[in-house]
Amino acid sequence: MKATILSGLLVCCCVLAKHERKFPSDFLFGAATASYQIEGGWNADGKGENIWDHMTHTRPEVIIDKSNGDEAADTYHNYKRDVEMMRELGLDAYRFSISWSRILPNGLANYINEPGVEFYKRYISEMLKYNITPMVTLYHWDLPQKLQDLGGFANPLFPEWFEDYARIAYEKFGDRVKHWITFNEPREICYEGYGSTTKAPMLNATGVGVYLCAKHLVLAHARAYKTYDNEFRATQNGLCGITISVNWMGPLTDSEEDQFAAEIKRQAEWGLYAEPIFSQWGGFPKELSEIVAKKSKEQGYPRSRMPEFTEEEKQFSRGTADFFGVNHYTANLISANDYKAWNPVPSLYNDADVGVYIPPEWPQSASRWLRQAPNSIYKALTHLHKKYNGPVFYITENGWSTTPDAGLEDEDRIRYYRAALNSVLDALKAGVNLKGYMAWSLMDNFEWMEGYAERFGLYHVDFESVEKTRTPRKSAFIYKEIVRSRTVNPDYEPPNRTMWIEEGH
Ligand code: GBH
C-alpha cells in the first residue's frame, strides 16, 4: 500500500517536473536570417549598392573564399521555398531583415524603389498565409553605400536618415508586421565595422570610431522607436525593440579583480548599447566611460574619445524599447591580469584591458570564436533580467556552425541546440520574461568575412546549383520536433528523413 502511494507520488512529481520543462504554448519558435546573407539579387529591379556590395566588389580578397552575396541563396527568387521550409519546420515566427538600399537605393527617403517594396510585401504575405509571424530587422549591416560615402554611422545626421527609412518601412509594412527590430548587433556594426577591420566598412578608426558610432546608433534607434510610438503604435499596435549580441562574459575566478574585469568587459561588449536604452539613468556605462576619459587625457586628447550623452539625449534614449532582443552564441571567461592579447592604442579593447580565456574543453564549432559553453543562455538572461528590471526578451539568434563538407548528419549542431534550449528552459523557470527563440539560421548563407566557408543552416544550401537547392539537415528534424512537442527530448530520433507539412501550416 505504502509502496503504491509512494510510487504514485513519484509519478506525480515526475509529471510535474516534466511539465515544468515545457515551453509555453504562446512561446514563439522561429528561425532567423538577414537580407545580405540570403537574398542575392544585389542589383535587381533598381536596388542600390550597399556597403557589402561595395566592399566585396572592390576588395574581394578580404572575404576568406573571395565570395560575395551577389546571388547567395537567391531568396529574391526563392522566397516561396523559404516559406515552405518554415512550414515544414512548423515555425511560429520568422526573423528576416529589410535591405535598406533595396527600398531606398540612395539611402535617403526622396526616392522609393517600388519593386523592392513589392518583394517584401510578397514575402510577408506568403508567411501570413500560413500564420507565420514576421519579425523584421530594419538594419542588419547593409548600409546604402551613398550614406557610407557621407561617413555612415559617424555622421551626426545618421539618426535622421534612419528615422526616415524606418518611417517608410512602418508605412509600407506595419499593417502586417508587429515585431520590429531597429538594429542587429550594434557591437558588430560599431566595433567591428568602425573600430576594427572585421566587418564592412573596415574603417579601423580604433578607439574613436566605435564610440562615435555607438552614440549615433543609440540616437537613431531612439528616433525610430519614438516615430513608431508617436505615429504608428495607435493604429498598428506592434512592438519595437533592438537586438544586441550578448555572449556571456563571466569572471575567470571569484576574485574581486576578475569580477570587476568581467563587468568592464560586459560594458565594452554590450553595455555601450544596452545601458543608454535599458538602464534607468541612460547614457554610456559609468566605469568604462571613466576609464576612457582617463586614458584619453593621458594620451593627449583634449576630450574623451567617448562622446557624452547630454541630459536631453539621455532622457530621449532611455526606455525606448518594448523588448530586448538577444543574439547569443557563446561565453568567455574574463581575467584582470592573465590571457591578455595585444590591442592597438587607442582601441576599445586597450581601453577595457582585460584578458579572455576560453576553456579548450568546450566543444568547438567550425567558427573560431564559437564554442559550446555550459548554460550560458541562462547566465546571460538572468543577469540582464536583474540588471534591467525584468524586460521582455526574445532570443533573436542562437546557433552553431559546421564546415561546408560536414554533410547532413550534424550531431554537434543537435547537441548544441538541445543544450541551448535546456538553458532557455532554465531561464524561463527562473522567471525571465522570454517570449521567443529564433534559431540562426533557417538555411546556410553568406557568413560575412567567412564567405560560404562556415555553415549555420538547419537547411543545407547547394550554392553551386542554379536553384540554390535547400535540403534539411538532421538538426532540422530535431528542431521541428522540439517546436511541435514544446519539449527537448534528448532521445528523439526522426523516424525517416522526409519533410512534410503539418496540417494547419
Ligand atoms: C551574428 O553575429 C550575426 O547577426 C549573423 O549575421 C551571423 O551570421 C551569425 O551571428 C553567425 O556568425 O573573432 O574576428 O572572427 C554573431 C557575432 C560573430 C561577432 C563572429 C564576432 C567574430 C569576429 N559575431 N565575430 S572574429
Side-chain angles (χ1 to χ4, degrees):
M1 181 63 184
K2 256 191 184 154
T4 0
I5 292 174
L6 242 176
S7 66
L9 258 173
L10 259 173
V11 169
C12 227
C13 290
C14 288
V15 169
L16 257 179
K18 230 183 157 181
H19 186 74
E20 280 176 359
R21 302 297 292 173
K22 210 165 173 165
F23 297 93
S25 57
D26 62 351
F27 190 82
L28 286 186
F29 270 114
T33 59
S35 46
Y36 187 74
Q37 294 180 274
I38 61 166
E39 282 179 3
W42 81 274
N43 61 357
D45 306 330
K47 177 181 162 294
E49 188 190 38
N50 66 44
I51 57 175
W52 282 87
D53 298 321
H54 184 80
M55 186 181 79
T56 56
H57 294 160
T58 53
R59 304 181 63 186
E61 70 285 354
V62 302
I63 308 297
I64 213 162
D65 54 6
K66 299 193 171 54
S67 66
N68 57 47
D70 287 2
E71 293 180 10
D74 200 13
T75 280
Y76 193 66
H77 298 105
N78 292 322
Y79 72 94
K80 286 198 174 163
R81 171 65 181 131
D82 291 2
V83 177
E84 184 178 61
M85 284 140 62
M86 301 167 205
R87 296 168 64 205
E88 288 174 347
L89 294 172
L91 300 186
D92 309 307
Y94 178 61
R95 172 178 179 241
F96 65 101
S97 79
I98 292 178
S99 160
W100 187 337
S101 68
R102 201 180 284 292
I103 298 208
L104 304 177
N106 301 315
L108 298 180
N110 61 312
Y111 173 69
I112 300 177
N113 181 44
E114 289 301 336
V117 173
E118 289 309 311
F119 165 68
Y120 292 110
K121 284 195 173 164
R122 290 196 299 274
Y123 205 4
I124 292 166
S125 295
E126 188 71 8
M127 285 170 220
L128 290 175
K129 207 152 109 191
Y130 303 107
N131 261 326
I132 297 162
T133 300
M135 183 178 265
V136 174
T137 312
L138 288 170
Y139 186 82
H140 199 126
W141 307 355
D142 41 2
L143 190 73
Q145 180 59 33
K146 291 274 192 230
L147 299 184
Q148 192 64 56
D149 295 342
L150 300 171
F153 286 75
N155 190 317
L157 290 183
F158 179 80
E160 288 177 26
W161 304 335
F162 187 69
E163 175 188 320
D164 297 342
Y165 161 55
R167 180 178 291 105
I168 287 167
Y170 303 148
E171 270 165 14
K172 299 285 181 192
F173 314 116
D175 55 337
R176 296 178 306 155
V177 170
K178 304 301 166 188
H179 293 76
W180 293 100
I181 294 166
T182 54
F183 291 101
N184 179 69
E185 296 191 347
R187 174 195 171 275
E188 282 60 30
I189 298 168
C190 294
Y191 170 67
E192 297 201 23
Y194 289 72
S196 76
T197 58
T198 47
K199 294 279 178 315
M202 295 179 72
L203 223 58
N204 212 20
T206 71
V208 175
V210 57
Y211 302 127
L212 207 50
C213 169
K215 183 173 170 185
H216 297 150
L217 183 150
V218 164
L219 293 173
H221 160 82
R223 271 176 174 265
Y225 177 87
K226 298 222 155 154
T227 299
Y228 192 75
D229 219 26
N230 296 334
E231 301 171 31
F232 297 91
R233 191 189 295 279
T235 50
Q236 298 187 346
N237 215 357
L239 303 171
C240 180
I242 183 168
T243 281
I244 300 178
S245 48
V246 184
N247 289 320
W248 178 238
M249 301 289 152
L252 179 60
T253 74
D254 283 342
S255 76
E256 235 161 73
E257 277 182 298
D258 283 0
Q259 292 196 35
F260 183 72
E263 174 55 25
I264 294 300
K265 180 71 169 168
R266 293 191 289 264
Q267 294 185 4
E269 295 291 282
W270 46 262
L272 277 175
Y273 321 97
E275 203 69 6
I277 297 170
F278 293 97
S279 75
Q280 312 168 27
W281 35 84
F284 283 135
K286 183 168 174 287
E287 288 79 8
L288 186 64
S289 316
E290 288 166 5
I291 293 171
V292 180
K294 182 165 166 276
K295 288 208 183 190
S296 301
K297 203 169 184 191
E298 287 163 9
Q299 291 158 349
Y301 292 89
R303 61 183 67 80
S304 179
R305 287 177 278 103
M306 186 187 283
E308 281 183 24
F309 281 79
T310 64
E311 275 314 311
E312 199 187 330
E313 288 168 337
K314 281 185 190 170
Q315 171 74 27
F316 183 76
S317 310
R318 71 186 179 214
T320 55
D322 301 320
F323 61 87
F324 193 138
V326 168
N327 285 357
H328 178 94
Y329 287 88
T330 192
N332 293 169
L333 299 179
I334 307 304
S335 165
N337 301 308
D338 303 325
Y339 305 108
K340 288 190 182 176
W342 179 85
N343 286 295
V345 182
S347 65
L348 175 66
Y349 291 149
N350 177 265
D351 289 337
D353 192 29
V354 300
V356 173
Y357 179 72
I358 300 170
E361 64 274 18
W362 291 357
Q364 173 80 55
S365 70
S367 309
R368 202 173 44 81
W369 55 275
L370 173 52
R371 283 173 185 264
Q372 185 181 326
N375 216 12
S376 55
I377 290 182
Y378 169 85
K379 288 172 192 163
L381 289 183
T382 50
H383 174 89
L384 292 174
H385 170 79
K386 261 199 225 119
K387 191 172 182 81
Y388 297 129
N389 203 18
V392 170
F393 292 101
Y394 287 89
I395 291 179
T396 43
E397 284 181 30
N398 176 245
W400 184 257
S401 63
T402 47
T403 57
D405 52 15
L408 301 175
E409 302 294 310
D410 52 347
E411 297 297 340
D412 53 344
R413 181 175 285 106
I414 292 168
R415 185 201 56 215
Y416 179 90
Y417 273 117
R418 281 178 171 153
L421 286 158
N422 270 306
S423 198
V424 167
L425 284 167
D426 288 347
L428 286 170
K429 201 170 162 200
V432 171
N433 200 0
L434 176 66
K435 299 291 194 194
Y437 173 96
M438 307 294 130
W440 184 272
S441 174
L442 178 62
M443 65 190 127
D444 289 347
N445 54 55
F446 177 77
E447 178 56 15
W448 309 112
M449 294 308 210
E450 320 309 323
Y452 298 99
E454 296 175 10
R455 304 294 182 90
F456 279 87
L458 292 168
Y459 282 72
H460 171 272
V461 176
D462 178 3
F463 292 103
E464 302 297 314
S465 67
V466 185
E467 305 78 12
K468 312 291 176 192
T469 309
R470 289 107 154 104
T471 312
R473 292 198 166 91
K474 186 177 175 188
S475 57
F477 294 87
I478 303 293
Y479 189 54
K480 176 181 172 131
E481 176 61 12
I482 292 171
V483 174
R484 189 200 65 79
S485 66
R486 308 265 139 185
T487 60
V488 185
N489 174 354
D491 304 317
Y492 176 76
E493 276 291 325
N496 60 53
R497 300 288 178 83
T498 21
M499 273 292 180
W500 67 97
I501 293 171
E502 306 265 357
E503 246 174 88
H505 257 286

